[in-house]
Amino acid sequence: ALQQLISRLGGSPEEVKPSQMESGLTALREQRFQADKQLRHLQLDVRFRESALSQLCCANHDQLRQLQELQAQMQRGQRRLVDQLERIQHREIDLGRDFGGMM
């Protein structure tokens, strides 16, 4: 890293002044600080998005479960209606026989 810094400053180790070296190191530290800051920001963003995605998945799962419960209720209601219709039809048949036999 030191050799890279010296190359950036444009010269050999003997040509680079201590003040140039110090300002170069300061610039590198600032770049590192900014890079670390961006990395932390991105990590927080990823955690936030993972959390939001997890919450959405849970909400979708709950909605799916509710829809399945509603579908089951509708199927039970439909079966009850079919049973009632069948009972009504049987009564109509029975009444038709009873009244048909009386005439």
Side-chain angles (χ1 to χ4, degrees), residues 25-41:
L25 284 172
T26 301
L28 284 177
R29 286 184 190 117
E30 181 60 28
Q31 288 176 355
R32 170 73 190 263
F33 173 77
Q34 292 300 324
D36 285 344
K37 189 173 158 183
Q38 287 178 332
L39 178 61
R40 283 191 304 275
H41 178 72

Side-chain angles (χ1 to χ4, degrees), residues 85-95 97:
L85 284 173
E86 287 176 352
R87 284 194 298 272
I88 290 170
Q89 287 173 341
H90 289 302
R91 282 189 214 140
E92 287 174 345
I93 292 170
D94 291 344
L95 288 173
R97 268 192 249 134

